[in-house]
Amino acid sequence: MSSSADSSSWPLWEVFIRGSRGLSHVHAGSLHAPDATMAIRNARDLYTRRNEGTSVWVVPAEAIMASDPDSKGGYFESAQGKSYRHATYYTQSEGVKHL
Amino acid sequence: MSPQNHQHAPLRLADEADAAAARDEAESGQHRFDEIIADDSRIEPRDWMPESYRKSLVRQVSQHAHSEIIGMQPEGNWISRAPSLKRKAILMAKVQDEAGHGLYLYSAAETLGTPREDMYDQLYSGKAKYSSIFNYPARTWADVGAIGWLVDGAAIVNQVPLCRASYGPYGRAMVRICKEESFHQRQGWEILYSLSHGTQEQREMAQAAVDRFYGPALQMFGPPDGDSPNSQQSMAWNIKRFTNDELRQRFVDMIVPQVEALGLTLPDPELKWNEERGHYDFAELDWDEFFAVIKGNGPLSRQRLEHYRSARDEGAWVREAAVAYANRVSQEQDRDQAALIGA
Ligand SMILES: [Fe+2]
Ligand SMILES: [Fe+2]
């Protein structure tokens, strides 16, 4: 069988790519690598073979904190029913220019 | 009653409370899951999902990943024998893409809670399945063309609907893969085009390759719908969007004009346009052969697995060295840090 030092015992890294200048880094996927330097190199080979990126971030997957999944609902509910936060809520100005 | 028993009673109550809470969670989880599927929305890794959905997905996605990895072998054999530097560069890029596809998919499968090591081990031990098409040899350079055109072509027809698979990470991996596959199919078609417009011998070589790969490529869509017991559930979960036979028909309709453009033919005397159905009719495939290959009796089943194992074994020292180096660097950093604090 495969040995205990298999690449899968390398930690998991989440990969974020900046598509081009002026854009934010966006999550692309994940990979395993023994350290940050190798993670960045592997990320380049894995996620930017066709000029998909101008910059790469790698983050140890275990360092990411996440909100609870939405199964219990509540966490993001407060934004619902607050349509007055959106410009489309205000209709009196229809037809008035530059407003 | 012994004191120990006293301690057990409240514990059991707590267990029951936990069990009830778990039941509640499963019930509301199932409800939420059903809603998301009914809305044709996406399930994400931390969402509650039925165990059977998780299991099916791990199987489907890891099998798909294994297929990409083993799928490097038939063409990989030709990298050193490609007829020109340009063809060699193209083939290397394609094979590298397939490695990438495998890794995107392992990454997606891993979000379902199965460690990547387990998936590697399943392939290594021969327990895991992969697409049986890769157990056929690539005998000639024309086969490399037929693989790109027909095998990658069939893969595209299979994969495009999966870009909308209900499991988010799987769908996203498929989007990335589909973008890359169209180059694979076109380069294969062009190899065949060059050969079919070359000498008589080259033309015959191209035709023979198409003859060899046509049937196995059509079988990539899986057994006929009547013999595909898991399809119904997978379709209900939106991790399969069309039946095997629907996809196969779509593929046949697609490749008929393409083979005409090559100036070659498909090896099926029954292949005929059916005005009424608006589709091509084609002959029944050799399903005995298909099931034999699936059971591990493909022409190169044993060789493919052996090659995978030796690549893995022979690369072990590289992975070990990388870990040793990473450990040493982090120890040095810790020591420097400690020295700084000490000062
Ligand atoms: Fe692929
Ligand atoms: Fe491909």
Side-chain angles (χ1 to χ4, degrees), chain B residues 149-150 207 210-211 213-215 218 251-260 262-271 280 282:
Chain B
W149 174 47
L150 292 173
Q207 183 61 59
V210 172
D211 291 350
F213 277 91
Y214 170 79
L218 260 60
F251 181 61
V252 172
D253 292 346
M254 230 179 68
I255 59 173
V256 172
Q258 292 173 356
V259 81
E260 283 164 6
L262 286 174
L264 300 173
T265 57
L266 296 174
D268 178 0
E270 291 177 42
L271 189 75
Y280 284 92
F282 55 98

Side-chain angles (χ1 to χ4, degrees), chain B residues 29 39 46 69 186 327 336:
Chain B
D39 286 352
R46 286 160 54 88
I69 297 301
R186 280 197 187 190
N327 287 343
D336 291 353

Side-chain angles (χ1 to χ4, degrees), chain A residues 67-73, chain B residues 18-38 41-55 57 111-112 166-169 233 237:
Chain A
S67 60
D68 254 353
D70 64 354
S71 58
K72 299 227 166 56
Chain B
D18 281 357
R23 270 198 304 277
D24 282 356
E25 202 183 313
E27 209 168 286
S28 66
Q30 179 76 52
H31 182 71
R32 183 81 188 102
F33 176 86
D34 292 342
E35 266 177 4
I36 292 172
I37 296 292
S41 182
R42 300 291 178 268
I43 304 293
E44 293 295 342
R46 286 160 54 88
D47 288 337
W48 186 94
M49 62 188 89
E51 220 26 60
S52 47
Y53 175 83
R54 189 185 296 275
K55 261 201 189 143
L57 263 175
T111 64
L112 290 156
S166 63
Y167 188 59
Q233 180 60 72
W237 278 331

Side-chain angles (χ1 to χ4, degrees), chain B residues 68 97-98 101 152 159 177 181 184:
Chain B
E68 302 281 357
D97 275 354
E98 307 301 3
H101 297 174
D152 290 71
Q159 290 168 356
I177 289 173
E181 287 293 355
H184 298 179

Side-chain angles (χ1 to χ4, degrees), chain B residues 91-342:
Chain B
L91 193 56
M92 280 202 300
K94 181 191 187 283
V95 173
Q96 191 193 17
D97 275 354
E98 307 301 3
H101 297 174
L103 294 178
Y104 304 156
L105 287 160
Y106 283 130
S107 159
E110 209 171 8
T111 64
L112 290 156
T114 302
R116 192 171 299 211
E117 198 169 353
D118 290 5
M119 295 184 272
Y120 289 169
D121 286 348
Q122 279 166 8
L123 183 55
Y124 189 101
S125 69
K127 219 182 106 199
K129 287 208 171 83
Y130 56 84
S131 180
S132 48
I133 188 81
F134 301 116
N135 289 330
Y136 289 90
R139 289 203 177 90
T140 67
W141 174 249
D143 283 9
V144 175
I147 289 172
W149 174 47
L150 292 173
V151 175
D152 290 71
I156 291 173
V157 170
N158 237 333
Q159 290 168 356
V160 165
L162 293 177
C163 295
R164 295 185 297 119
S166 63
Y167 188 59
Y170 187 32
R172 292 192 285 276
M174 292 315 308
V175 168
R176 204 172 270 282
I177 289 173
C178 286
K179 274 188 197 157
E180 301 182 350
E181 287 293 355
S182 50
F183 135 61
H184 298 179
Q185 192 187 19
R186 280 197 187 190
Q187 65 85 36
W189 192 88
E190 277 202 23
I191 289 174
L192 289 177
Y193 186 88
S194 303
L195 292 172
S196 71
H197 290 73
T199 63
Q200 180 62 24
E201 210 186 341
Q202 287 173 325
R203 216 190 121 73
E204 280 164 14
M205 192 198 273
Q207 183 61 59
V210 172
D211 291 350
R212 273 198 291 276
F213 277 91
Y214 170 79
L218 260 60
Q219 290 178 329
M220 285 173 68
F221 298 98
D225 292 348
D227 301 330
S228 182
N230 298 326
S231 283
Q232 284 286 320
Q233 180 60 72
S234 297
M235 304 235 330
W237 278 331
N238 294 340
I239 54 177
K240 186 175 170 71
R241 291 287 185 167
F242 298 95
T243 72
N244 297 352
D245 287 331
E246 282 168 344
L247 293 168
R248 190 167 11 250
Q249 181 70 62
R250 186 178 298 182
F251 181 61
V252 172
D253 292 346
M254 230 179 68
I255 59 173
V256 172
Q258 292 173 356
V259 81
E260 283 164 6
L262 286 174
L264 300 173
T265 57
L266 296 174
D268 178 0
E270 291 177 42
L271 189 75
K272 205 171 103 229
W273 177 251
N274 183 324
E275 192 65 57
E276 210 172 296
R277 293 200 310 125
H279 291 291
Y280 284 92
D281 290 336
F282 55 98
E284 195 54 69
L285 299 160
D286 184 350
W287 293 109
D288 291 340
E289 178 188 320
F290 174 77
F291 286 111
V293 178
I294 277 194
K295 288 202 186 83
N297 299 321
L300 293 184
S301 303
R302 177 182 291 270
Q303 231 166 300
R304 295 291 186 238
L305 202 54
E306 267 165 19
H307 185 80
Y308 175 76
R309 286 175 181 153
S310 68
R312 212 161 159 67
D313 293 344
E314 283 161 26
W317 71 270
V318 179
R319 298 191 293 275
E320 282 160 20
V323 171
Y325 177 76
N327 287 343
R328 203 187 73 200
V329 169
S330 86
Q331 273 164 13
E332 280 170 8
Q333 278 168 351
D334 286 353
R335 218 178 32 233
D336 291 353
Q337 199 82 25
L340 264 176
I341 292 166

